[in-house]
């Protein structure tokens, strides 16, 4: 596995980061452009709150953990100043999207705008010691906790009381966000939240019969035999398991690490496309047709997060099955998502056969986050393999 360390580090520092530093900065109005074509040209100037927050986090993380380069700190501040000025409504909730100059376009219906704003400002205040940014991160985080039982609030399309389901995405994100904000939270708060999200992920959404995690369940945790209730997103499961392993290390819980790896392997085997390779986006747990027309696409974040999970699993446990899956994922991901012709950032969307379906490097949903974070996590994790975590 050591052979991958330099490969991933070089790709992060000499390809991915320079691409975003060169092409995404709006030095006129502030913030970041994320709608970038194959060569890095801006094809749409709308800005999206969760991608702004994610890029603030990425550059703050790079400054904090890789090298204290003033350029990276300045880039993080470029996004933060735009978001401080334009990001929130009167309740402190973060809009979903903006015009180039920061006029709100879409109401704050999506709590993940708040999650990544909190994550971004939480990382930024580590490197600039700003009380204002720490306050933004904490107030946003507390507002997330207030809204977590009804994330969309008045913007929800569902009719109340008929089929009230809760979604896996928020407890999954909170597994990671709780650790990202640990430096701002008191120990009792963080411990209580970690126990709560672990229960949600591993006891409520996890289905022992299949060994998989569902995207949606009834509020009491019971199964809903419906399109929404049957859907499985293998990528979400696999990504969540490296969050769980991080929490397990914090809790010194070897059994939890083993369980997380078991679930990750099950999700990989369930989601792997035996015909064309790669991980399918959605499947129905009962094998019925799924409602998502994009069910058979192969997405960038799914594959790079799976690489992180297998790297962490190997580093912690030395389980050779992790190494086998890592190499299989590496070969598919680097062959199909990486743009060997233009360099820089990778493509995000492939069809089932592994061909690029959208020839762009960023857009409304893809920005400067999953790939740089994954590359950093992989090489940083594998550097520690010689001294595995003692559990």
């Amino acid at each position: 596995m050591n052979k991958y360390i330099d490969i991933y580090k070089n790709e992060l520092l000499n390809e991915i980061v320079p691409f975003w530093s060169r092409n995404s900065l709006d030095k006129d109005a502030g913030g970041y452009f994320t709608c970038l074509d194959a060569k890095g040209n801006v094809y749409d100037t709308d800005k999206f709150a969760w991608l702004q927050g994610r890029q603030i986090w990425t550059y703050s993380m790079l400054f904090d953990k890789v090298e204290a380069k003033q350029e990276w700190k300045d880039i993080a501040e470029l996004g933060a100043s735009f978001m401080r000025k334009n990001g929130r409504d009167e309740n402190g909730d973060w809009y979903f999207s903006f015009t180039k100059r920061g006029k709100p376009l879409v109401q704050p219906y999506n709590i993940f705008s708040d999650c990544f704003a909190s994550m971004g400002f939480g990382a930024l205040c580590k490197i600039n010691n700003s009380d204002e940014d720490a306050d933004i991160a904490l107030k946003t985080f507390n507002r997330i906790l207030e809204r977590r039982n009804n994330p969309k609030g008045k913007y929800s399309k569902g009719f109340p009381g008929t089929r009230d389901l809760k979604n896996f995405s928020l407890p999954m994100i909170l597994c990671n966000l709780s650790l990202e904000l640990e430096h701002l939270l008191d120990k009792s708060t963080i411990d209580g939240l970690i126990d709560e999200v672990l229960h949600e992920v591993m006891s409520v959404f996890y289905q022992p019969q299949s060994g998989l995690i569902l995207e949606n369940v009834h509020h009491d945790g019971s199964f809903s035999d419906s399109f929404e209730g049957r859907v499985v997103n293998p990528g979400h499961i696999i990504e969540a398991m490296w969050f769980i392993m991080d929490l397990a290390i914090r809790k010194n819980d070897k059994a939890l690490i083993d369980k997380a790896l078991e679930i990750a392997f099950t999700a990989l085997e369930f989601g792997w496309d035996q015909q064309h390779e790669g991980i399918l986006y959605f499947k129905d747990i009962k094998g019925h047709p799924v409602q998502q027309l994009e069910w058979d696409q192969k997405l960038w974040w799914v594959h790079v997060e799976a690489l992180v999970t297998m790297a962490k699993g190997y580093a912690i446990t030395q389980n050779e099955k992790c190494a086998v899956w890592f190499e299989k994922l590496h070969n598919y991901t680097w062959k199909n998502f990486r743009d060997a012709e233009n360099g820089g950032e990778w493509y995000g969307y492939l069809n089932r056969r592994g061909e690029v379906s959208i020839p762009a490097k960023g857009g409304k949903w893809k920005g400067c986050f999953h790939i740089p974070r994954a590359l950093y996590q992989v090489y940083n994790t594998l550097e520690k393999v010689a001294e595995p975590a003692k559990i």
Side-chain angles (χ1 to χ4, degrees):
M1 294 285 279
N2 287 345
K3 67 182 181 181
Y4 293 109
I5 294 171
D6 288 342
I7 294 172
Y8 279 70
K9 189 172 187 177
N10 178 71
E11 188 73 7
L12 172 68
L13 299 180
N14 296 321
E15 295 289 345
I16 303 297
V17 174
F19 175 90
W20 292 101
S21 299
R22 185 170 62 247
N23 299 308
S24 71
L25 311 185
D26 185 351
K27 296 179 180 178
D28 172 35
Y32 315 116
F33 298 120
T34 59
C35 297
L36 305 176
D37 69 13
K39 296 184 181 298
N41 301 306
V42 177
Y43 64 86
D44 195 288
T45 59
D46 286 353
K47 294 169 182 171
F48 307 94
W50 69 346
L51 297 184
Q52 302 294 307
R54 284 174 162 185
Q55 191 157 343
I56 295 166
W57 178 87
T58 298
Y59 278 88
S60 298
M61 180 278 292
L62 291 169
F63 182 92
D64 184 38
K65 297 185 180 300
V66 178
E67 183 181 350
K69 293 177 67 172
Q70 186 63 41
E71 177 195 5
W72 290 347
K73 190 174 185 180
D74 291 344
I75 291 173
E77 178 58 35
L78 182 72
S81 60
F82 178 86
M83 289 286 275
R84 291 188 204 106
K85 179 180 178 182
N86 304 298
R88 290 172 287 180
D89 70 3
E90 65 277 5
N91 296 318
D93 299 330
W94 295 83
Y95 295 109
F96 178 76
S97 61
F98 319 89
T99 66
K100 168 183 165 65
R101 299 207 168 272
K103 297 293 185 184
L105 285 170
V106 177
Q107 297 279 12
Y109 79 96
N110 192 311
I111 201 168
F112 299 106
S113 297
D114 304 69
C115 290
F116 292 108
S118 183
M119 187 171 167
F121 280 99
L124 182 62
C125 74
K126 275 186 177 180
I127 66 172
N128 67 5
N129 297 311
S130 165
D131 291 339
E132 179 187 6
D133 291 338
D135 186 61
I136 291 171
L138 274 175
K139 283 182 176 176
T140 301
F141 181 70
N142 289 331
R143 183 72 178 128
I144 293 166
L145 297 184
E146 289 173 15
R147 297 170 59 194
R148 69 186 185 275
N149 292 325
N150 184 21
K152 293 189 178 180
K154 64 183 181 180
Y155 304 112
S156 176
K157 295 184 290 187
F159 189 87
T162 303
R163 185 187 291 154
D164 292 331
L165 301 177
K166 59 181 179 179
N167 184 266
F168 175 60
S169 298
L170 186 56
M172 168 194 157
I173 291 295
L174 288 174
C175 288
N176 182 239
L177 189 57
S178 59
L179 289 181
E180 287 289 337
L181 297 182
E182 188 168 13
H183 60 292
L184 297 176
L185 300 169
D186 64 80
K187 188 176 186 302
S188 62
T189 299
I190 196 76
D191 287 346
L193 180 62
I194 286 172
D195 288 343
E196 178 184 330
V197 294
L198 282 173
H199 171 74
E200 283 283 293
V201 171
M202 305 299 281
S203 299
V204 176
F205 287 91
Y206 173 67
Q207 308 294 300
Q209 299 85 353
S210 64
L212 296 166
I213 289 171
L214 293 170
E215 280 291 287
N216 302 287
V217 297
H218 288 296
H219 279 268
D220 63 1
S222 60
F223 175 67
S224 171
D225 196 354
S226 60
F227 275 126
E228 294 86 357
R230 293 191 303 267
V231 72
V232 175
N233 183 325
H236 265 166
I237 301 172
I238 299 162
E239 180 183 7
M241 290 307 104
W242 77 257
F243 299 163
I244 297 295
M245 284 192 281
D246 281 355
L247 293 176
I249 289 173
R250 185 187 183 279
K251 291 172 69 67
N252 196 35
D253 188 339
K254 184 180 185 301
L256 183 56
I257 286 174
D258 292 340
K259 187 64 177 177
L261 264 185
E262 176 190 327
I263 294 171
F265 290 143
T266 301
L268 275 167
E269 289 156 7
F270 180 77
W272 191 256
D273 185 346
Q274 297 297 335
Q275 185 176 358
H276 297 288
E277 297 195 308
I279 303 168
L280 296 166
Y281 196 13
F282 293 106
K283 291 186 74 174
D284 185 290
I285 200 164
K286 289 189 171 184
H288 299 314
V290 291
Q291 64 176 332
Q292 290 86 356
L293 300 181
E294 68 275 24
W295 71 273
D296 63 348
Q297 286 186 351
K298 313 293 169 62
L299 269 68
W300 83 105
W301 68 264
V302 173
H303 292 76
V304 298
E305 297 298 347
L307 283 163
V308 175
T309 303
M310 290 300 102
K312 283 182 178 280
Y314 181 77
I316 298 165
T317 69
Q318 305 290 287
N319 186 332
E320 282 299 319
K321 190 174 180 180
C322 295
V324 171
W325 265 112
F326 183 93
E327 185 160 358
K328 190 174 184 177
L329 287 160
H330 171 87
N331 291 339
Y332 179 87
T333 303
W334 283 65
K335 175 185 175 184
N336 293 289
F337 289 99
R338 188 172 184 266
D339 181 2
E341 180 180 348
N342 297 299
E345 179 61 68
W346 298 2
Y347 294 115
Y349 303 90
L350 312 178
N351 64 22
R352 186 170 183 181
R353 295 184 300 276
E355 300 159 340
V356 174
S357 60
I358 301 176
K361 301 296 180 59
K364 182 178 181 179
W365 307 108
K366 181 180 185 292
C368 179
F369 182 65
H370 281 288
I371 291 176
R373 182 177 72 168
L375 293 171
Y376 169 77
Q377 284 285 343
V378 167
Y379 87 72
N380 185 61
T381 297
L382 293 181
E383 283 179 338
K384 299 174 182 176
V385 168
E387 298 180 5
K390 300 297 191 295
I391 299 294

